[in-house]
Amino acid sequence: MKWIVSALVLLLLALQFQIWLADDGYPLRRRLDAQIQQIESENRGLRARNEALSAEVRDLKQGLDAVEERARQELGMVGRDEVFYHVVDQRPEREQAAQNDE
């Protein structure tokens, strides 16, 4: 009977070793949990980006206001009855003098 108990204790110790200290036991689980957390965080960011893009697509499909806004900002377009004025700021004299000295 003693040898059965001894064998069971040794078996239990071997299984505990596999769980806690082997590379494919608990340490692997912790690494995988960390990877899962990282991937879920990235997925949340990607979902937010996708929602923003979906909203932009809906705006572009539904009305001309969004199209007109994009044309003005990205392409510099002006409406038919509008006049475009480009105002250039004069640089201060110090900057002009410094640039001329170089």
Side-chain angles (χ1 to χ4, degrees):
M1 181 76 172
K2 283 186 177 183
W3 66 273
I4 293 177
V5 172
S6 299
L8 289 176
V9 168
L10 285 175
L11 181 63
L12 179 66
L13 290 175
L15 291 175
Q16 289 296 315
F17 174 79
Q18 287 293 322
I19 291 172
W20 295 105
L21 301 176
D23 288 336
D24 60 348
Y26 186 70
L28 176 64
R29 162 117 187 198
R30 290 187 57 190
R31 286 193 303 271
L32 291 175
D33 285 341
Q35 287 179 352
I36 288 170
Q37 292 295 327
Q38 179 185 4
I39 290 170
E40 286 177 349
S41 175
E42 291 174 10
N43 284 345
R44 281 191 295 273
L46 292 173
R47 275 192 206 100
R49 186 192 71 179
N50 286 346
E51 289 174 11
L53 289 173
S54 294
E56 186 175 347
V57 167
R58 266 192 315 275
D59 286 345
L60 289 172
K61 284 183 177 180
Q62 290 177 354
L64 294 177
D65 291 338
V67 174
E68 183 179 343
E69 179 183 345
R70 276 195 98 139
R72 289 176 184 276
Q73 289 178 353
E74 294 178 8
L75 303 174
M77 297 184 94
V78 180
R80 289 184 186 196
D81 297 332
E82 297 176 346
V83 177
F84 177 73
Y85 293 99
H86 184 75
V87 178
V88 179
D89 291 333
Q90 294 270 337
R91 289 188 290 174
E93 291 178 16
R94 289 185 211 157
E95 286 182 26
Q96 288 179 356
Q99 193 174 31
N100 290 338
D101 291 340
E102 292 176 356

